[in-house]
Amino acid sequence: MRDQYYEQLDHIVDELVLITDRVRTAVADATTALLETDLPTAERVIGGESDIEESIDEVEERALVLLATQQPVAGDLRQLVSTLRMVADLQRMSALAVHVSKIARRRMPVSAVPEPVRPLIRDMANVAHSMIGSAARIVSERDLDAAAALEFEDDEMDRLRQELFRVLLEGTWEHGVDTAIDLALLGRYYERMGDHAVNMARRVVYLVTGELPVA
Amino acid sequence: MRDQYYEQLDHIVDELVLITDRVRTAVADATTALLETDLPTAERVIGGESDIEESIDEVEERALVLLATQQPVAGDLRQLVSTLRMVADLQRMSALAVHVSKIARRRMPVSAVPEPVRPLIRDMANVAHSMIGSAARIVSERDLDAAAALEFEDDEMDRLRQELFRVLLEGTWEHGVDTAIDLALLGRYYERMGDHAVNMARRVVYLVTGELPVA
C-alpha cells in the first residue's frame, strides 16, 4: 500500500512536468501563429486547451485523493499542496497562450505585430518560453539555483515590456490604435506567463525549504 | 483539542470573508482614484497591498498547519484545500486593484478615463465590486444560488468589455494611443477581478457538492 502511495506521488510530479512541457509548446505555437500569421497553428493552440485542462483536472483529482486518503505529513503534504497551487498556474499559462492565438487569428491575414516591434515581441516570447522550460526543470529536479536564476529572467521580461510601452507611446506610432491595444495586451500576456513560471519555481522553493515564498 | 480544531476552521472562513471585504474596498478605492483623479486614495490602495498580503499569508499558514497537524478528511479537507485556492484569487484581485491605482496615479492630474468611456468604466467597476461582494457572501453563507447568479454578472462584464473595445476601435477615437492602451488594460483588470470572484464561488460549489468546478 505504502509503495503504491509513493508511486502515486512520483506520478503526480511526472505529470506536472509533462503538462508544463505541453504548455510551453502551446506558448511556442501561439508565438508562431502570431509572428508567422499561421492560422492552422493558431487553431491548434485554441483547440488544444481543453486537452491540457483535462490533464490538469486529472492531476488535481489525484492530489486531492491522496490528500484525503493517505493523510500525508511534512514533505509529502507540502508536495500535494504545492501541486494544487501549480496546476492553477499551468491553467492560467495555457489560457494566456490561447489569448495570444486568438489575437493572431483575429488579425489574419495581416500580422498583429507590425515590423518595428517584431524583435521585441519575439524577445518577450523567447523569455516566456525559456522561463516555462526552467519551471519544468525546477519542478522535475528541485533545483533551487535555477529557481533563483529565474528571477533574473523575470527582470529581463519587465525590461522588455517597458521597452514595448516606450515604443507604443513615443508619439511616432503609425500603426493605429487597434494594433497598439493588441500589442499592449500581448505584452501583458507574455509578462503574466513569466510571472506564473516564477510562481511555480517559488512553490518548489517552499517544497524544499518549507518556507512560504515572499510573494 | 477537537473543539479548538473546529474553532480554527471557523476562524479561517471568517478571515477569508474579512480579506475579501478588504479587497472589495481596495477595488472601490482604486475606482475612486481613477474616476475622481484622487491621489491620496490611489496611494492608500498602493500602500495597503502589503497589509492585505500579510493577512493572506497568515490564513494560508493557518490552513497549512491544520492540514499538517489535524489530518482532516472529507468536508474539512475540502475546506482547507479550497482556502488555499481562494487565497491565490484574493492575492490577484488585490494586485489588480493596485494596477488600476497605478494607472490612475501615472496620469494625474489628468484623468486616465476620458469623458466618452467614463460610464462604461464606471459600469465595469460596479460589476467587479458587486461580484466581489457576492463572492464574500458566498464564502460566508455557502449560498449555491448566489454562486449560480454570479455567472450572469460575469456575462454582463464580458458584454461591457466588448463594448469598451468597440468604442476604442471604431476609428473615431480622439484621445491618443496612450489613453487607449490604458483603457484596454483597465478593461482587462476589471474583467480579471470578476473572473477571480467567479473562481472563488466555484470553489465554494466544490466545497458543498464535492464536485470539481467545470472551469
PDB file of all heavy atoms in Angstrom, chain B residues 156-187:
ATOM      1  N   GLU B 156     -22.350  39.831 -17.993  1.00  0.00           N
ATOM      2  CA  GLU B 156     -22.505  41.278 -18.115  1.00  0.00           C
ATOM      3  C   GLU B 156     -21.124  41.948 -18.237  1.00  0.00           C
ATOM      4  O   GLU B 156     -20.929  42.863 -19.050  1.00  0.00           O
ATOM      5  CB  GLU B 156     -23.275  41.815 -16.891  1.00  0.00           C
ATOM      6  CG  GLU B 156     -23.342  43.324 -16.744  1.00  0.00           C
ATOM      7  CD  GLU B 156     -24.146  44.015 -17.846  1.00  0.00           C
ATOM      8  OE1 GLU B 156     -24.725  43.295 -18.698  1.00  0.00           O
ATOM      9  OE2 GLU B 156     -24.166  45.258 -17.876  1.00  0.00           O
ATOM     10  N   MET B 157     -20.178  41.468 -17.456  1.00  0.00           N
ATOM     11  CA  MET B 157     -18.819  42.010 -17.523  1.00  0.00           C
ATOM     12  C   MET B 157     -18.232  41.806 -18.929  1.00  0.00           C
ATOM     13  O   MET B 157     -17.624  42.717 -19.499  1.00  0.00           O
ATOM     14  CB  MET B 157     -17.946  41.327 -16.464  1.00  0.00           C
ATOM     15  CG  MET B 157     -16.530  41.825 -16.415  1.00  0.00           C
ATOM     16  SD  MET B 157     -16.435  43.531 -15.829  1.00  0.00           S
ATOM     17  CE  MET B 157     -16.013  43.226 -14.102  1.00  0.00           C
ATOM     18  N   ASP B 158     -18.404  40.610 -19.478  1.00  0.00           N
ATOM     19  CA  ASP B 158     -17.898  40.336 -20.827  1.00  0.00           C
ATOM     20  C   ASP B 158     -18.514  41.297 -21.843  1.00  0.00           C
ATOM     21  O   ASP B 158     -17.827  41.812 -22.722  1.00  0.00           O
ATOM     22  CB  ASP B 158     -18.255  38.896 -21.252  1.00  0.00           C
ATOM     23  CG  ASP B 158     -17.347  37.881 -20.571  1.00  0.00           C
ATOM     24  OD1 ASP B 158     -16.364  38.313 -19.927  1.00  0.00           O
ATOM     25  OD2 ASP B 158     -17.625  36.684 -20.672  1.00  0.00           O
ATOM     26  N   ARG B 159     -19.824  41.530 -21.692  1.00  0.00           N
ATOM     27  CA  ARG B 159     -20.519  42.425 -22.607  1.00  0.00           C
ATOM     28  C   ARG B 159     -19.933  43.837 -22.524  1.00  0.00           C
ATOM     29  O   ARG B 159     -19.684  44.498 -23.533  1.00  0.00           O
ATOM     30  CB  ARG B 159     -22.016  42.446 -22.247  1.00  0.00           C
ATOM     31  CG  ARG B 159     -22.943  42.906 -23.354  1.00  0.00           C
ATOM     32  CD  ARG B 159     -24.356  43.183 -22.828  1.00  0.00           C
ATOM     33  NE  ARG B 159     -24.420  44.178 -21.775  1.00  0.00           N
ATOM     34  CZ  ARG B 159     -24.192  45.483 -21.937  1.00  0.00           C
ATOM     35  NH1 ARG B 159     -23.897  45.957 -23.127  1.00  0.00           N
ATOM     36  NH2 ARG B 159     -24.251  46.308 -20.911  1.00  0.00           N
ATOM     37  N   LEU B 160     -19.709  44.300 -21.295  1.00  0.00           N
ATOM     38  CA  LEU B 160     -19.158  45.650 -21.099  1.00  0.00           C
ATOM     39  C   LEU B 160     -17.751  45.756 -21.689  1.00  0.00           C
ATOM     40  O   LEU B 160     -17.397  46.759 -22.302  1.00  0.00           O
ATOM     41  CB  LEU B 160     -19.124  45.998 -19.601  1.00  0.00           C
ATOM     42  CG  LEU B 160     -20.482  46.253 -18.951  1.00  0.00           C
ATOM     43  CD1 LEU B 160     -20.351  46.279 -17.421  1.00  0.00           C
ATOM     44  CD2 LEU B 160     -21.086  47.569 -19.453  1.00  0.00           C
ATOM     45  N   ARG B 161     -16.968  44.711 -21.518  1.00  0.00           N
ATOM     46  CA  ARG B 161     -15.610  44.775 -22.038  1.00  0.00           C
ATOM     47  C   ARG B 161     -15.626  44.814 -23.571  1.00  0.00           C
ATOM     48  O   ARG B 161     -14.865  45.540 -24.189  1.00  0.00           O
ATOM     49  CB  ARG B 161     -14.797  43.574 -21.555  1.00  0.00           C
ATOM     50  CG  ARG B 161     -13.316  43.822 -21.736  1.00  0.00           C
ATOM     51  CD  ARG B 161     -12.503  42.547 -21.790  1.00  0.00           C
ATOM     52  NE  ARG B 161     -11.112  42.878 -22.079  1.00  0.00           N
ATOM     53  CZ  ARG B 161     -10.246  42.006 -22.551  1.00  0.00           C
ATOM     54  NH1 ARG B 161     -10.591  40.776 -22.781  1.00  0.00           N
ATOM     55  NH2 ARG B 161      -9.013  42.388 -22.811  1.00  0.00           N
ATOM     56  N   GLN B 162     -16.509  44.035 -24.169  1.00  0.00           N
ATOM     57  CA  GLN B 162     -16.623  44.077 -25.630  1.00  0.00           C
ATOM     58  C   GLN B 162     -17.052  45.457 -26.108  1.00  0.00           C
ATOM     59  O   GLN B 162     -16.535  45.969 -27.107  1.00  0.00           O
ATOM     60  CB  GLN B 162     -17.636  43.028 -26.119  1.00  0.00           C
ATOM     61  CG  GLN B 162     -17.020  41.637 -26.223  1.00  0.00           C
ATOM     62  CD  GLN B 162     -18.059  40.553 -26.406  1.00  0.00           C
ATOM     63  OE1 GLN B 162     -19.157  40.817 -26.909  1.00  0.00           O
ATOM     64  NE2 GLN B 162     -17.740  39.341 -26.010  1.00  0.00           N
ATOM     65  N   GLU B 163     -17.992  46.067 -25.384  1.00  0.00           N
ATOM     66  CA  GLU B 163     -18.466  47.405 -25.717  1.00  0.00           C
ATOM     67  C   GLU B 163     -17.307  48.408 -25.624  1.00  0.00           C
ATOM     68  O   GLU B 163     -17.144  49.268 -26.501  1.00  0.00           O
ATOM     69  CB  GLU B 163     -19.600  47.779 -24.747  1.00  0.00           C
ATOM     70  CG  GLU B 163     -20.147  49.191 -24.839  1.00  0.00           C
ATOM     71  CD  GLU B 163     -20.821  49.486 -26.173  1.00  0.00           C
ATOM     72  OE1 GLU B 163     -21.097  48.531 -26.926  1.00  0.00           O
ATOM     73  OE2 GLU B 163     -21.029  50.685 -26.460  1.00  0.00           O
ATOM     74  N   LEU B 164     -16.496  48.287 -24.577  1.00  0.00           N
ATOM     75  CA  LEU B 164     -15.332  49.172 -24.418  1.00  0.00           C
ATOM     76  C   LEU B 164     -14.401  49.050 -25.630  1.00  0.00           C
ATOM     77  O   LEU B 164     -13.959  50.052 -26.201  1.00  0.00           O
ATOM     78  CB  LEU B 164     -14.582  48.821 -23.123  1.00  0.00           C
ATOM     79  CG  LEU B 164     -13.265  49.573 -22.862  1.00  0.00           C
ATOM     80  CD1 LEU B 164     -13.525  51.061 -22.628  1.00  0.00           C
ATOM     81  CD2 LEU B 164     -12.519  48.982 -21.661  1.00  0.00           C
ATOM     82  N   PHE B 165     -14.124  47.821 -26.051  1.00  0.00           N
ATOM     83  CA  PHE B 165     -13.231  47.628 -27.194  1.00  0.00           C
ATOM     84  C   PHE B 165     -13.857  48.166 -28.477  1.00  0.00           C
ATOM     85  O   PHE B 165     -13.154  48.723 -29.323  1.00  0.00           O
ATOM     86  CB  PHE B 165     -12.849  46.150 -27.333  1.00  0.00           C
ATOM     87  CG  PHE B 165     -11.670  45.806 -26.483  1.00  0.00           C
ATOM     88  CD1 PHE B 165     -11.788  45.794 -25.097  1.00  0.00           C
ATOM     89  CD2 PHE B 165     -10.422  45.573 -27.028  1.00  0.00           C
ATOM     90  CE1 PHE B 165     -10.695  45.541 -24.277  1.00  0.00           C
ATOM     91  CE2 PHE B 165      -9.322  45.314 -26.225  1.00  0.00           C
ATOM     92  CZ  PHE B 165      -9.465  45.283 -24.849  1.00  0.00           C
ATOM     93  N   ARG B 166     -15.162  48.020 -28.593  1.00  0.00           N
ATOM     94  CA  ARG B 166     -15.836  48.560 -29.777  1.00  0.00           C
ATOM     95  C   ARG B 166     -15.605  50.074 -29.854  1.00  0.00           C
ATOM     96  O   ARG B 166     -15.248  50.617 -30.904  1.00  0.00           O
ATOM     97  CB  ARG B 166     -17.340  48.239 -29.705  1.00  0.00           C
ATOM     98  CG  ARG B 166     -18.050  48.226 -31.045  1.00  0.00           C
ATOM     99  CD  ARG B 166     -19.568  48.140 -30.898  1.00  0.00           C
ATOM    100  NE  ARG B 166     -20.152  49.149 -30.016  1.00  0.00           N
ATOM    101  CZ  ARG B 166     -20.190  50.451 -30.279  1.00  0.00           C
ATOM    102  NH1 ARG B 166     -19.699  50.920 -31.391  1.00  0.00           N
ATOM    103  NH2 ARG B 166     -20.711  51.292 -29.394  1.00  0.00           N
ATOM    104  N   VAL B 167     -15.790  50.759 -28.725  1.00  0.00           N
ATOM    105  CA  VAL B 167     -15.599  52.218 -28.696  1.00  0.00           C
ATOM    106  C   VAL B 167     -14.153  52.583 -29.026  1.00  0.00           C
ATOM    107  O   VAL B 167     -13.894  53.502 -29.816  1.00  0.00           O
ATOM    108  CB  VAL B 167     -15.997  52.792 -27.309  1.00  0.00           C
ATOM    109  CG1 VAL B 167     -15.657  54.275 -27.221  1.00  0.00           C
ATOM    110  CG2 VAL B 167     -17.475  52.563 -27.044  1.00  0.00           C
ATOM    111  N   LEU B 168     -13.207  51.840 -28.441  1.00  0.00           N
ATOM    112  CA  LEU B 168     -11.791  52.160 -28.674  1.00  0.00           C
ATOM    113  C   LEU B 168     -11.396  51.967 -30.129  1.00  0.00           C
ATOM    114  O   LEU B 168     -10.517  52.649 -30.644  1.00  0.00           O
ATOM    115  CB  LEU B 168     -10.888  51.284 -27.792  1.00  0.00           C
ATOM    116  CG  LEU B 168     -10.973  51.485 -26.273  1.00  0.00           C
ATOM    117  CD1 LEU B 168     -10.056  50.501 -25.553  1.00  0.00           C
ATOM    118  CD2 LEU B 168     -10.593  52.918 -25.898  1.00  0.00           C
ATOM    119  N   LEU B 169     -12.072  51.036 -30.805  1.00  0.00           N
ATOM    120  CA  LEU B 169     -11.623  50.623 -32.143  1.00  0.00           C
ATOM    121  C   LEU B 169     -12.481  51.149 -33.271  1.00  0.00           C
ATOM    122  O   LEU B 169     -12.233  50.839 -34.432  1.00  0.00           O
ATOM    123  CB  LEU B 169     -11.566  49.085 -32.218  1.00  0.00           C
ATOM    124  CG  LEU B 169     -10.654  48.429 -31.187  1.00  0.00           C
ATOM    125  CD1 LEU B 169     -10.666  46.925 -31.335  1.00  0.00           C
ATOM    126  CD2 LEU B 169      -9.229  48.969 -31.307  1.00  0.00           C
ATOM    127  N   GLU B 170     -13.513  51.956 -32.974  1.00  0.00           N
ATOM    128  CA  GLU B 170     -14.447  52.284 -34.060  1.00  0.00           C
ATOM    129  C   GLU B 170     -13.884  53.334 -35.024  1.00  0.00           C
ATOM    130  O   GLU B 170     -14.564  53.724 -35.971  1.00  0.00           O
ATOM    131  CB  GLU B 170     -15.835  52.680 -33.514  1.00  0.00           C
ATOM    132  CG  GLU B 170     -15.872  53.992 -32.781  1.00  0.00           C
ATOM    133  CD  GLU B 170     -17.225  54.212 -32.074  1.00  0.00           C
ATOM    134  OE1 GLU B 170     -18.161  53.438 -32.318  1.00  0.00           O
ATOM    135  OE2 GLU B 170     -17.318  55.157 -31.278  1.00  0.00           O
ATOM    136  N   GLY B 171     -12.650  53.795 -34.772  1.00  0.00           N
ATOM    137  CA  GLY B 171     -11.985  54.654 -35.756  1.00  0.00           C
ATOM    138  C   GLY B 171     -12.201  56.132 -35.523  1.00  0.00           C
ATOM    139  O   GLY B 171     -11.660  56.962 -36.236  1.00  0.00           O
ATOM    140  N   THR B 172     -13.023  56.484 -34.522  1.00  0.00           N
ATOM    141  CA  THR B 172     -13.254  57.895 -34.233  1.00  0.00           C
ATOM    142  C   THR B 172     -12.605  58.282 -32.900  1.00  0.00           C
ATOM    143  O   THR B 172     -12.915  59.323 -32.336  1.00  0.00           O
ATOM    144  CB  THR B 172     -14.768  58.190 -34.156  1.00  0.00           C
ATOM    145  OG1 THR B 172     -15.337  57.334 -33.158  1.00  0.00           O
ATOM    146  CG2 THR B 172     -15.429  57.927 -35.487  1.00  0.00           C
ATOM    147  N   TRP B 173     -11.710  57.453 -32.397  1.00  0.00           N
ATOM    148  CA  TRP B 173     -11.070  57.695 -31.112  1.00  0.00           C
ATOM    149  C   TRP B 173     -10.146  58.923 -31.211  1.00  0.00           C
ATOM    150  O   TRP B 173      -9.298  59.008 -32.073  1.00  0.00           O
ATOM    151  CB  TRP B 173     -10.264  56.460 -30.696  1.00  0.00           C
ATOM    152  CG  TRP B 173      -9.661  56.597 -29.325  1.00  0.00           C
ATOM    153  CD1 TRP B 173      -8.349  56.782 -29.016  1.00  0.00           C
ATOM    154  CD2 TRP B 173     -10.356  56.548 -28.078  1.00  0.00           C
ATOM    155  NE1 TRP B 173      -8.181  56.859 -27.668  1.00  0.00           N
ATOM    156  CE2 TRP B 173      -9.394  56.721 -27.056  1.00  0.00           C
ATOM    157  CE3 TRP B 173     -11.705  56.393 -27.727  1.00  0.00           C
ATOM    158  CZ2 TRP B 173      -9.728  56.735 -25.708  1.00  0.00           C
ATOM    159  CZ3 TRP B 173     -12.039  56.404 -26.389  1.00  0.00           C
ATOM    160  CH2 TRP B 173     -11.057  56.569 -25.390  1.00  0.00           C
ATOM    161  N   GLU B 174     -10.340  59.868 -30.291  1.00  0.00           N
ATOM    162  CA  GLU B 174      -9.601  61.136 -30.388  1.00  0.00           C
ATOM    163  C   GLU B 174      -8.708  61.384 -29.190  1.00  0.00           C
ATOM    164  O   GLU B 174      -8.226  62.504 -28.994  1.00  0.00           O
ATOM    165  CB  GLU B 174     -10.601  62.305 -30.489  1.00  0.00           C
ATOM    166  CG  GLU B 174     -11.384  62.326 -31.779  1.00  0.00           C
ATOM    167  CD  GLU B 174     -12.472  63.402 -31.755  1.00  0.00           C
ATOM    168  OE1 GLU B 174     -12.921  63.774 -30.650  1.00  0.00           O
ATOM    169  OE2 GLU B 174     -12.859  63.854 -32.840  1.00  0.00           O
ATOM    170  N   HIS B 175      -8.493  60.368 -28.356  1.00  0.00           N
ATOM    171  CA  HIS B 175      -7.790  60.621 -27.094  1.00  0.00           C
ATOM    172  C   HIS B 175      -6.404  59.990 -27.039  1.00  0.00           C
ATOM    173  O   HIS B 175      -5.848  59.831 -25.954  1.00  0.00           O
ATOM    174  CB  HIS B 175      -8.657  60.164 -25.914  1.00  0.00           C
ATOM    175  CG  HIS B 175     -10.004  60.817 -25.911  1.00  0.00           C
ATOM    176  ND1 HIS B 175     -10.227  62.056 -25.372  1.00  0.00           N
ATOM    177  CD2 HIS B 175     -11.185  60.436 -26.465  1.00  0.00           C
ATOM    178  CE1 HIS B 175     -11.496  62.399 -25.553  1.00  0.00           C
ATOM    179  NE2 HIS B 175     -12.094  61.434 -26.205  1.00  0.00           N
ATOM    180  N   GLY B 176      -5.859  59.622 -28.203  1.00  0.00           N
ATOM    181  CA  GLY B 176      -4.475  59.168 -28.238  1.00  0.00           C
ATOM    182  C   GLY B 176      -4.304  57.679 -27.981  1.00  0.00           C
ATOM    183  O   GLY B 176      -5.157  57.029 -27.360  1.00  0.00           O
ATOM    184  N   VAL B 177      -3.198  57.162 -28.481  1.00  0.00           N
ATOM    185  CA  VAL B 177      -2.870  55.739 -28.334  1.00  0.00           C
ATOM    186  C   VAL B 177      -2.622  55.403 -26.864  1.00  0.00           C
ATOM    187  O   VAL B 177      -3.044  54.357 -26.370  1.00  0.00           O
ATOM    188  CB  VAL B 177      -1.606  55.399 -29.162  1.00  0.00           C
ATOM    189  CG1 VAL B 177      -1.138  53.979 -28.880  1.00  0.00           C
ATOM    190  CG2 VAL B 177      -1.878  55.566 -30.635  1.00  0.00           C
ATOM    191  N   ASP B 178      -1.926  56.295 -26.149  1.00  0.00           N
ATOM    192  CA  ASP B 178      -1.582  56.002 -24.752  1.00  0.00           C
ATOM    193  C   ASP B 178      -2.841  55.793 -23.902  1.00  0.00           C
ATOM    194  O   ASP B 178      -2.930  54.855 -23.114  1.00  0.00           O
ATOM    195  CB  ASP B 178      -0.687  57.108 -24.165  1.00  0.00           C
ATOM    196  CG  ASP B 178      -1.242  58.509 -24.413  1.00  0.00           C
ATOM    197  OD1 ASP B 178      -2.218  58.641 -25.187  1.00  0.00           O
ATOM    198  OD2 ASP B 178      -0.703  59.459 -23.817  1.00  0.00           O
ATOM    199  N   THR B 179      -3.838  56.665 -24.103  1.00  0.00           N
ATOM    200  CA  THR B 179      -5.088  56.535 -23.353  1.00  0.00           C
ATOM    201  C   THR B 179      -5.817  55.249 -23.735  1.00  0.00           C
ATOM    202  O   THR B 179      -6.372  54.555 -22.864  1.00  0.00           O
ATOM    203  CB  THR B 179      -5.993  57.757 -23.628  1.00  0.00           C
ATOM    204  OG1 THR B 179      -5.215  58.928 -23.459  1.00  0.00           O
ATOM    205  CG2 THR B 179      -7.175  57.798 -22.708  1.00  0.00           C
ATOM    206  N   ALA B 180      -5.812  54.931 -25.031  1.00  0.00           N
ATOM    207  CA  ALA B 180      -6.484  53.702 -25.486  1.00  0.00           C
ATOM    208  C   ALA B 180      -5.847  52.470 -24.846  1.00  0.00           C
ATOM    209  O   ALA B 180      -6.544  51.537 -24.414  1.00  0.00           O
ATOM    210  CB  ALA B 180      -6.430  53.601 -27.011  1.00  0.00           C
ATOM    211  N   ILE B 181      -4.514  52.463 -24.760  1.00  0.00           N
ATOM    212  CA  ILE B 181      -3.821  51.320 -24.148  1.00  0.00           C
ATOM    213  C   ILE B 181      -4.181  51.209 -22.667  1.00  0.00           C
ATOM    214  O   ILE B 181      -4.491  50.119 -22.165  1.00  0.00           O
ATOM    215  CB  ILE B 181      -2.291  51.462 -24.319  1.00  0.00           C
ATOM    216  CG1 ILE B 181      -1.924  51.239 -25.784  1.00  0.00           C
ATOM    217  CG2 ILE B 181      -1.538  50.492 -23.415  1.00  0.00           C
ATOM    218  CD1 ILE B 181      -0.461  51.445 -26.093  1.00  0.00           C
ATOM    219  N   ASP B 182      -4.156  52.341 -21.957  1.00  0.00           N
ATOM    220  CA  ASP B 182      -4.541  52.314 -20.536  1.00  0.00           C
ATOM    221  C   ASP B 182      -5.946  51.755 -20.376  1.00  0.00           C
ATOM    222  O   ASP B 182      -6.205  50.947 -19.475  1.00  0.00           O
ATOM    223  CB  ASP B 182      -4.494  53.725 -19.938  1.00  0.00           C
ATOM    224  CG  ASP B 182      -3.080  54.117 -19.510  1.00  0.00           C
ATOM    225  OD1 ASP B 182      -2.205  53.239 -19.496  1.00  0.00           O
ATOM    226  OD2 ASP B 182      -2.868  55.298 -19.191  1.00  0.00           O
ATOM    227  N   LEU B 183      -6.855  52.183 -21.243  1.00  0.00           N
ATOM    228  CA  LEU B 183      -8.244  51.732 -21.115  1.00  0.00           C
ATOM    229  C   LEU B 183      -8.379  50.251 -21.417  1.00  0.00           C
ATOM    230  O   LEU B 183      -9.148  49.543 -20.756  1.00  0.00           O
ATOM    231  CB  LEU B 183      -9.143  52.559 -22.033  1.00  0.00           C
ATOM    232  CG  LEU B 183      -9.344  53.994 -21.529  1.00  0.00           C
ATOM    233  CD1 LEU B 183      -9.907  54.872 -22.643  1.00  0.00           C
ATOM    234  CD2 LEU B 183     -10.273  54.009 -20.317  1.00  0.00           C
ATOM    235  N   ALA B 184      -7.620  49.768 -22.421  1.00  0.00           N
ATOM    236  CA  ALA B 184      -7.665  48.335 -22.730  1.00  0.00           C
ATOM    237  C   ALA B 184      -7.176  47.536 -21.519  1.00  0.00           C
ATOM    238  O   ALA B 184      -7.756  46.507 -21.158  1.00  0.00           O
ATOM    239  CB  ALA B 184      -6.808  48.035 -23.958  1.00  0.00           C
ATOM    240  N   LEU B 185      -6.107  48.030 -20.878  1.00  0.00           N
ATOM    241  CA  LEU B 185      -5.583  47.321 -19.699  1.00  0.00           C
ATOM    242  C   LEU B 185      -6.569  47.420 -18.539  1.00  0.00           C
ATOM    243  O   LEU B 185      -6.835  46.426 -17.845  1.00  0.00           O
ATOM    244  CB  LEU B 185      -4.213  47.883 -19.305  1.00  0.00           C
ATOM    245  CG  LEU B 185      -3.077  47.576 -20.289  1.00  0.00           C
ATOM    246  CD1 LEU B 185      -1.796  48.304 -19.896  1.00  0.00           C
ATOM    247  CD2 LEU B 185      -2.799  46.071 -20.373  1.00  0.00           C
ATOM    248  N   LEU B 186      -7.159  48.605 -18.327  1.00  0.00           N
ATOM    249  CA  LEU B 186      -8.151  48.759 -17.250  1.00  0.00           C
ATOM    250  C   LEU B 186      -9.314  47.790 -17.461  1.00  0.00           C
ATOM    251  O   LEU B 186      -9.787  47.157 -16.515  1.00  0.00           O
ATOM    252  CB  LEU B 186      -8.665  50.201 -17.204  1.00  0.00           C
ATOM    253  CG  LEU B 186      -7.674  51.244 -16.646  1.00  0.00           C
ATOM    254  CD1 LEU B 186      -8.175  52.660 -16.926  1.00  0.00           C
ATOM    255  CD2 LEU B 186      -7.450  51.041 -15.146  1.00  0.00           C
ATOM    256  N   GLY B 187      -9.766  47.695 -18.720  1.00  0.00           N
ATOM    257  CA  GLY B 187     -10.850  46.763 -19.033  1.00  0.00           C
ATOM    258  C   GLY B 187     -10.473  45.347 -18.657  1.00  0.00           C
ATOM    259  O   GLY B 187     -11.251  44.606 -18.051  1.00  0.00           O
TER     260      GLY B 187
END
